[in-house]
Amino acid sequence: MTIRLPDGRGGLRAYEPRATPLSFDTGAPLASRVVFSAAHVVADPFADTTPDSPAAVDWDATLAFRRHLWSHGLGVAEAMDTAQRGMGLDWAGAAELIERSAAEARSVGGRIACGVGTDQLTAPAKDLAEVRAAYEEQLALVEGTGAQAILMASRALAAVATGPEDYLDVYGHLLRQATEPVVLHWLGPMFDPALEGYWGSADLDAATETFLDVIAAHPDKVDGIKVSLLDARREVDLRRRLPKGVRCYTGDDFNYPELIAGDDRGFSHALLGIFDPLGPLAAQAVRVLDTGDAKGFRELLDPTVELSRHLFQAPTRFYKTGVVLLAWLSGHQDHFTMVGGLQSARSLPHFARAYELADGLGLFPNPELAEARMKNLLALYGVSS
């Protein structure tokens, strides 16, 4: 059996799908690394919505996907940008997602950490006090569920801050209030252009110093940092300067195998959007690493980088579209619909290449289902089978 895919030059080419998928055991808990998958949300396709209306979420399918990730030993990073936070999912939807997912995590013994931001501020913040209050509201909700807090980068703070001292003020205030150690999230402008100049400077060296100053002032309140700058060398340099006991969670969807494997001076844990579609394979690779077999770990995970770089290609913020496409093709949801209509954010050639790469890796539990669904999608674009 073959499927005709766009060839990138305006024509079609034949592709022969893989016949058998990889098989993955749920296995023992992960030991050598803490690994979170930033998980997507499943839209309700029957809701009468518009791109500007509040998100309609299929809660059953959304929570079922989280149980899938937990079953493989992964933690869930909830209500992050992978869940379309700020790109279709507003604070009301995120708050409900956090509460539902945290309750589900308690019921199955799953690890969960949830994003704390300021996105309830739908108008520009007047001052730092308003930004602090918004952060405080969300921090209280997350901690009230028993989940770990991830202090996300704030568009409102980026807009109102005048320099590094404002970041030191706001984050210092929040860290003093946090009841348990949090994860600090540095999301680069390639993921969200509104975060340009975060930590008070567009110069990444200067921004790094401010970031480290925040951590140094409150090391007992910082479990770790999530770095999403797509710059492996910068992450390694930053990782080596962290206080003892503060973890680095890579958010680098371009270079994660080498960063997780590490070197003789340390390694990164993981909090990655690409581990949404790669969850079972990523967990299997880390179990290999748990045995001390770094080479075997790289042999499993290195081939996935081409798919990840494809999904996260510029404009990077639209990577969620590819993530949800693969969830649909894998049978984790019954439709290819996204909150905010974001299924339209990538092209048919992009979808076709994502399908081909994922199929080649053996990611689809049912290759025949994936092929049939991909043919349906192609037919909507006028490609006859």
Side-chain angles (χ1 to χ4, degrees):
M1 297 294 292
T2 61
I3 182 172
R4 296 199 301 163
L5 300 176
D7 62 8
R9 300 184 298 276
L12 298 169
R13 60 183 175 82
Y15 171 72
E16 184 175 346
R18 181 178 179 132
T20 57
L22 293 179
S23 61
F24 305 106
D25 297 326
T26 51
L30 308 185
S32 62
R33 304 290 189 272
V34 178
V35 182
F36 288 98
S37 166
H40 74 281
V41 293
V42 182
D44 178 356
F46 301 115
D48 186 8
T49 60
T50 69
D52 295 328
S53 64
V57 177
D58 180 337
W59 293 113
D60 289 343
T62 293
L63 295 176
F65 187 76
R66 280 133 184 83
R67 291 193 297 272
H68 155 72
L69 294 172
W70 285 319
S71 75
H72 287 277
L74 300 166
V76 168
E78 190 56 276
M80 305 292 289
D81 62 295
T82 306
Q84 295 179 244
R85 188 84 177 264
M87 287 185 69
L89 188 70
D90 62 10
W91 167 237
E96 184 172 0
L97 177 62
I98 289 166
E99 291 174 334
R100 286 176 178 264
S101 291
E104 196 73 16
R106 290 193 300 271
S107 73
V108 302
R111 186 167 191 158
I112 189 168
C114 299
V116 170
T118 61
D119 46 331
Q120 70 270 57
L121 300 177
T122 56
K126 297 188 295 291
D127 51 30
L128 290 178
E130 190 171 14
V131 173
R132 282 196 302 268
Y135 263 131
E136 288 172 346
E137 177 190 352
Q138 296 199 15
L139 179 62
L141 184 141
V142 168
E143 291 193 330
T145 69
Q148 184 178 18
I150 302 171
L151 294 186
M152 301 169 66
S154 163
R155 293 173 180 172
L157 179 55
V160 76
T162 60
E165 63 282 353
D166 289 340
Y167 290 88
L168 293 168
D169 174 25
V170 170
Y171 278 90
H173 181 82
L174 294 169
L175 290 171
R176 286 190 293 271
Q177 287 199 354
T179 58
E180 298 291 339
V182 307
V183 176
L184 297 180
H185 186 191
W186 185 355
L187 191 69
M190 69 288 293
F191 288 93
D192 187 342
L195 299 177
E196 181 70 42
Y198 212 74
W199 305 111
S201 177
D203 180 330
L204 290 180
D205 291 334
T208 296
E209 296 306 316
T210 303
F211 188 46
L212 287 168
D213 286 346
V214 169
I215 299 164
H218 306 277
D220 59 320
K221 289 295 187 74
V222 181
D223 164 72
I225 62 170
K226 178 188 186 300
V227 187
S228 300
L229 298 176
L230 304 183
D231 184 333
R233 183 71 260 162
R234 184 171 293 279
E235 179 175 323
V236 171
D237 291 343
L238 178 56
R239 184 175 77 196
R240 290 173 177 172
R241 296 180 63 189
L242 293 175
K244 185 177 181 180
V246 175
R247 298 184 177 104
C248 179
Y249 295 94
T250 188
D252 189 333
D253 300 277
F254 283 6
N255 304 292
Y256 50 93
E258 65 188 80
L259 291 164
I260 297 170
D263 54 31
D264 57 359
R265 296 178 59 183
F267 56 82
S268 294
H269 300 271
L271 199 166
L272 288 160
I274 192 57
F275 282 3
D276 178 302
L278 292 183
L281 176 56
Q284 183 167 310
V286 173
R287 288 191 182 93
V288 170
L289 189 59
D290 288 345
T291 70
D293 184 2
K295 180 174 181 291
F297 167 81
R298 294 294 298 269
E299 287 174 348
L300 279 171
L301 217 52
D302 281 359
T304 69
V305 172
E306 185 178 6
L307 170 64
S308 188
R309 291 190 175 207
H310 176 71
L311 297 184
F312 285 78
Q313 68 184 227
T316 301
R317 63 189 181 278
F318 295 122
Y319 76 88
K320 297 96 167 172
T321 301
V323 165
V324 174
L325 170 78
L326 296 183
W328 172 57
L329 295 176
S330 296
H332 292 300
Q333 56 193 76
D334 294 332
H335 57 85
F336 180 36
T337 307
M338 299 176 66
V339 299
L342 209 64
Q343 67 272 13
S344 65
R346 294 292 201 188
S347 67
L348 182 62
H350 182 90
F351 296 150
R353 183 61 176 157
Y355 162 76
E356 182 179 3
L357 290 170
D359 179 73
L361 291 168
L363 294 184
F364 299 131
N366 184 339
E368 290 184 358
L369 174 66
E371 179 185 352
R373 289 185 168 183
M374 191 65 206
K375 285 181 175 177
N376 285 340
L377 182 63
L378 287 161
L380 289 175
Y381 283 79
V383 179
S384 58
S385 57

